[in-house]
Amino acid sequence: MSAKKIIIANWKMNPQTADEALRFVQGVLAQRLPKNIELIIAPPFVYLELLKKNCGKEIKLAAQNISWAERGAYTGEISGLMLKNLGCNHVIIGHSERRYIMGETEEIINLKLKTALRIGLTVILAVGEKEQNDDISKVLSRQIESALEGVGVSEINRLIIAYEPVWAIGTGLADTSDHALSAALLIRKIISRLYGPEWASDMPVLYGGSVSEENAADFIAQNGIDGALVGGASLELQSFIKIIKAAEKNE
Ligand code: PGA
């Protein structure tokens, strides 16, 4: 488990202007941020440089995507080295919108993850079942095993896993904190099987899917859950600040 609770804002394809992005970050920085949290914002690529200049040390940045290729003729792609050189050290890989809307296969996710780790980025790997009655043990095993195929134990300390049941994303229908905890424990069990028990307990495992100012504390308070990956509620400044404060209460 991570020493600090981790809160990640996934802005997806929002906001539409750099000005709004900047004002949001300034609004967060105007708060007294709790010492026990690691705050990461994943804006669209086009705002990364601006936000890097304005985030100070309190907020880290994540990209929402990365090319599996390191450099070269790949029109429209963004490389991991470009991200690193901007001072962006995290990247989300395997988000369900990329898997199921943009058609990313498990093979692509594995290639992206290996490229990101090789370049020195920290990967936030999103996994989760599509339907509430899916066999989650089977789904999580398959997604984690395929994403980490060929990844050695020396690189695994730069991995964060976010349990994000697809049915809970953007629906307002969050998982229960008990079920999310059991999924997080399942994820640790899979990591233990692949890399050994010490990695399983050290690895940060987050919950994501309709996290809100009302329910954030329930997830973050769980001992086996290291924080939250927040979509919709991370676009509304006051809600997001309340979610950050919810993590503080767990000090
Ligand atoms: P949501 O999105 O909080 O809007 O459900 C979470 C995510 O997609 O990471």
Side-chain angles (χ1 to χ4, degrees), residues 10 12 95-97 164 168-172 208-211 229-233:
N10 177 12
K12 310 190 181 186
H95 191 279
S96 67
E97 286 149 19
E164 294 211 303
I169 296 180
T171 58
S210 294
V211 172
L229 177 49
V230 190

Side-chain angles (χ1 to χ4, degrees), residues 155-167:
E155 292 174 306
I156 194 94
N157 62 341
R158 274 182 288 108
L159 183 67
I160 296 169
I161 297 188
Y163 169 61
E164 294 211 303
V166 183
W167 52 266

